[in-house]
Amino acid sequence: MMLHEPSATAGEAEMLLFALERSRAQFAWKAGGLDAAGLRRAQPPSTLTLAGLLKHLALVEEAYTIDFTGKAPGPPLDVPEAATDPEWVWRTAADDPPEYLYELWHGAVARSRAALAAALADGGLDQPGKYRTDEHGVAPNLRRLVVDLHDEYARHVGHADLLREAIDGLVGEDPPLS
């Protein structure tokens, strides 16, 4: 996916979406094109792998899709263990073939992207999310949800960067322009 820089005077929603899409593109580049061995390779002492990150971020994207739509979860959150076992994503990713992991993440991103676009068109960033609430029963607005989703990527793009460099030496900040 080729990103187009927004203008220096772009609005809030355009800038937030650009930041999120840039982080998604960076993650896709760092996690992309690997075989099972590459996806499963950890950098000790950590047990974190790109396979685990792909499945985890698919789960995160699906959780935000629920916040954007209020609808029942899709994959991978539609698996009962996803709700009951916090380590399920990380543990099971090692057994998943690369094609499945890539498809799972890309599908979750596509659903999340479409759900967010529809929500923004139907009320903008100030509207409350449709699922999660804080301890006082207040739903965060879409602005907060997009920032939180971007923060999740920001944290994990750094992990993916280090893991990928250890796997095959791939370095850099942004995917090459294609």
Side-chain angles (χ1 to χ4, degrees):
M1 172 182 195
M2 185 161 168
L3 295 175
H4 298 285
E5 288 277 336
S7 77
T9 58
E12 180 182 19
E14 186 179 357
M15 288 303 295
L16 285 170
L17 292 175
F18 172 73
L20 175 58
E21 290 299 336
R22 180 173 54 193
S23 290
R24 283 173 172 157
Q26 290 167 333
F27 178 75
W29 178 46
K30 294 300 178 160
L34 292 170
D35 62 12
L39 287 175
R40 294 176 184 148
R41 182 171 169 189
Q43 188 64 27
S46 175
T47 59
L48 190 67
T49 65
L50 288 171
L53 284 174
L54 279 163
K55 198 164 189 177
H56 169 71
L57 285 171
L59 185 140
V60 167
E61 290 276 8
E62 190 60 28
Y64 281 92
T65 297
I66 297 166
D67 278 325
F68 301 147
T69 65
K71 295 180 181 174
L77 281 178
D78 59 350
V79 174
E81 295 86 357
T84 60
D85 180 358
E87 296 301 315
W88 173 80
V89 167
W90 305 103
R91 187 180 64 258
T92 61
D95 299 327
D96 294 327
E99 303 78 25
Y100 171 78
L101 292 168
Y102 289 127
E103 182 179 312
L104 182 70
W105 180 72
H106 285 288
V109 168
R111 285 188 300 280
S112 176
R113 188 180 285 135
L116 177 56
L120 288 173
D122 191 36
L125 291 169
D126 291 327
Q127 70 179 293
K130 295 177 174 57
Y131 181 72
R132 105 183 69 189
T133 59
D134 67 15
E135 66 275 3
H136 306 290
V138 177
N141 63 25
L142 259 59
R143 177 181 297 101
R144 173 60 187 262
L145 292 169
V146 172
V147 167
D148 288 351
L149 178 55
H150 177 260
D151 283 352
E152 189 76 20
Y153 273 95
R155 178 173 45 258
H156 293 314
V157 164
H159 296 134
D161 194 37
L162 292 170
L163 288 167
R164 184 60 184 254
E165 183 177 3
I167 292 166
D168 64 7
L170 179 70
V171 295
E173 184 176 327
D174 289 309
L177 297 175
S178 47

